[in-house]
Amino acid sequence: MNKYDYLIVGAGLYGAVFAHEMTKRGKKCLVVDKRDHIAGNIYCDKCEGITVHRYGAHIFHTSNKRVWEWVNQFAEFNRYTNCPIANYRGKLYHLPFNMDTFYAMWGAVTPQQARAIVYEQVAHENITDPQNLEEKALSLVGRDIYETLIKGYTEKQWGTKATQLPAFIIQRLPLRFNYDNNYFDSKYQGIPIGGYTQMVSNMLQGIEVRLNCDYLAHRKYLDALADKVLYTGEIDRLFDYCYGALEYRSLNFKTEVLDQDNYQGVAVMNFTDIDVPYTRIIEHKHFDNEQSAKTVITREYPADWDVDKEPYYPINNSRNDQLYRKYYDLACQNPRLIVGGRLGSYKYFDMDKTIEEALALVSTL
């Protein structure tokens, strides 16, 4: 007889939500993760008394009241509001694009003035059928905003020229003709006080977790322990890349402790100049107004991906989406196997969507 109802591969948010809900329903779960910590990419730890987001900044936001109430069972959230700053060649602009941005860029002081400049620039481009990301952005916001705040950042993020990127990557570029610097439109927003690791630990309370446990290296043994397997890792790796590798963009992080109490005055500063090799600097103490004589910053460098690097952003073009479908169909042939989460679904999910997907899976099962 199998010892567990579910073997859950991955102790990130998706796996933790699933494990908690299934355990609550009387199922016995085993969670394994090849890393030495839980919480996946939302893992946080302490440095100089400051909560550090080790895999990049994560701000929880949602308009789904059910998800907000669900996640508040496991953490007390602060009132952090994401108001990032863009730095282009030493000049600062507020994000998202709003009246503060337009004033810094053009000196526009009324919505009518800002609209007139944007509409004039869009009309000047005269692009009715955009064929790539650059043309799409120009058709939405015009030349000044595109070249100052979009072009360099996007080309660094994706590792190629904007003219080589498909137009569908940008569906819309919201322009706010007011002074609202809140990056998200979501009704609820915040960060767990003390970070996400404790939140995930609370979800996994009473559930067996094995860290430093590489599922694919011990697959036969681990599969024999459970009736079903929820796999949240890379789906192509699961099948030994038999159809070829899916493509991702990766990230490199450089974290420093600085002997000063405040480096940039904001949690998130984007660097939109193509000549600056990193896309943003995170100053972690500002996420929860933590007091310390020192500060911790992290620079994020976009990187090419290969199978030995951490996958962060799926490249959802037609080639990769078709390849994913082949792997997904292969997974469906195994009645004991379930694939899900960001890597299993080959989609980038915000945290609230990750929770929604995991709760939906539990309901379906």
Side-chain angles (χ1 to χ4, degrees):
M1 293 181 64
N2 292 329
K3 185 177 179 182
Y4 304 95
D5 296 294
Y6 289 97
L7 169 68
I8 298 158
V9 182
L13 184 59
Y14 189 92
V17 173
F18 182 88
H20 176 85
E21 288 296 313
M22 279 303 186
T23 300
K24 192 167 70 173
R25 287 161 172 76
K27 304 298 183 181
K28 191 166 180 60
C29 298
L30 169 65
V31 180
V32 300
D33 200 296
K34 65 182 179 181
R35 290 174 172 172
D36 63 358
H37 60 75
I38 62 170
N41 286 352
I42 61 174
Y43 172 71
C44 300
D45 63 4
K46 289 284 188 179
C47 179
E48 299 292 338
I50 298 166
T51 304
V52 176
H53 298 217
R54 287 295 177 187
Y55 300 93
H58 289 84
I59 298 103
F60 194 92
H61 61 98
T62 186
S63 292
N64 186 324
K65 185 177 181 180
R66 178 191 176 214
V67 168
W68 180 245
E69 291 177 345
W70 189 91
V71 78
N72 271 266
Q73 299 175 84
F74 308 102
E76 179 183 357
F77 282 75
N78 66 18
R79 297 177 60 190
Y80 177 78
T81 300
N82 192 29
C83 299
I85 299 292
N87 184 319
Y88 180 75
R89 298 180 178 177
K91 189 168 183 178
L92 304 182
Y93 300 88
H94 283 277
L95 298 175
F97 314 136
N98 63 58
M99 287 302 300
D100 281 323
T101 319
F102 308 144
Y103 178 76
M105 189 167 292
W106 304 311
V109 295
T110 68
Q112 292 76 17
Q113 289 174 332
R115 280 196 182 95
I117 295 171
V118 171
Y119 294 164
E120 180 183 4
Q121 291 193 6
V122 168
H124 179 76
E125 298 297 333
N126 194 28
I127 298 171
T128 57
D129 184 23
Q131 298 300 302
N132 54 59
L133 185 147
E134 179 169 291
E135 292 183 355
K136 179 71 170 180
L138 290 171
S139 73
L140 292 171
V141 297
R143 180 71 55 175
D144 287 351
I145 294 175
Y146 169 69
E147 292 193 344
T148 304
L149 301 176
I150 299 172
K151 179 180 173 66
Y153 189 95
T154 301
E155 291 184 349
K156 288 188 288 187
Q157 186 76 9
W158 293 102
T160 191
K161 296 293 186 183
T163 52
Q164 302 300 311
L165 292 167
F168 71 77
I169 290 179
I170 293 181
Q171 300 298 327
R172 57 190 289 269
L173 287 170
L175 298 172
R176 294 182 184 172
F177 295 98
N178 57 36
Y179 290 90
D180 181 6
N181 291 320
N182 183 359
Y183 192 79
F184 299 118
D185 290 327
S186 305
K187 186 175 181 179
Y188 309 104
Q189 179 175 323
I191 295 175
I193 296 172
Y196 290 96
T197 306
Q198 185 58 49
M199 181 185 82
V200 174
S201 177
N202 291 338
M203 293 179 189
L204 293 172
Q205 189 171 6
I207 299 170
E208 184 178 351
V209 178
R210 300 183 189 179
L211 302 176
N212 297 303
C213 181
D214 188 341
Y215 167 72
L216 295 180
H218 307 283
R219 184 173 179 178
K220 185 175 181 180
Y221 164 74
L222 290 169
D223 280 352
L225 296 179
D227 294 332
K228 291 194 174 185
V229 177
L230 171 63
Y231 179 82
T232 69
E234 304 104 301
I235 193 171
D236 50 351
R237 188 185 291 266
L238 177 65
F239 296 107
D240 200 26
Y241 307 104
C242 64
Y243 298 132
L246 293 163
E247 296 173 298
Y248 297 86
R249 288 290 288 166
S250 192
L251 290 171
N252 293 323
F253 301 99
K254 182 180 179 182
T255 298
E256 301 176 70
V257 178
L258 303 180
D259 194 17
Q260 59 190 88
D261 67 344
N262 193 349
Y263 177 73
Q264 63 186 18
V266 68
V268 181
M269 185 173 290
N270 292 351
F271 290 80
T272 59
D273 183 353
I274 191 66
D275 295 328
V276 177
Y278 42 86
T279 49
R280 60 182 183 174
I281 295 178
I282 308 302
E283 188 168 11
H284 300 270
K285 70 190 313 178
H286 297 302
F287 285 128
D288 201 18
N289 193 30
E290 293 174 311
Q291 303 302 307
S292 173
K294 297 185 178 183
T295 193
V296 181
I297 65 169
T298 300
R299 290 180 172 87
E300 294 186 10
Y301 296 81
D304 293 332
W305 174 86
D306 60 44
V307 295
D308 295 321
K309 291 186 177 179
E310 194 70 31
Y312 285 97
Y313 302 108
I315 300 176
N316 290 115
N317 56 29
S318 57
R319 178 260 179 194
N320 285 317
D321 289 345
Q322 291 174 15
L323 184 58
Y324 171 77
R325 174 51 60 178
K326 292 176 70 174
Y327 280 117
Y328 182 77
D329 290 343
L330 189 58
C332 289
Q333 295 176 24
N334 184 348
R336 296 182 59 222
L337 176 65
I338 307 162
V339 293
R342 176 178 58 91
L343 297 175
S345 301
Y346 195 64
K347 292 180 182 177
Y348 182 82
F349 288 139
D350 285 332
M351 285 179 285
D352 63 328
K353 187 62 175 177
T354 299
I355 293 172
E356 281 185 37
E357 293 285 316
L359 294 177
L361 175 61
V362 170
S363 296
T364 299
L365 293 174

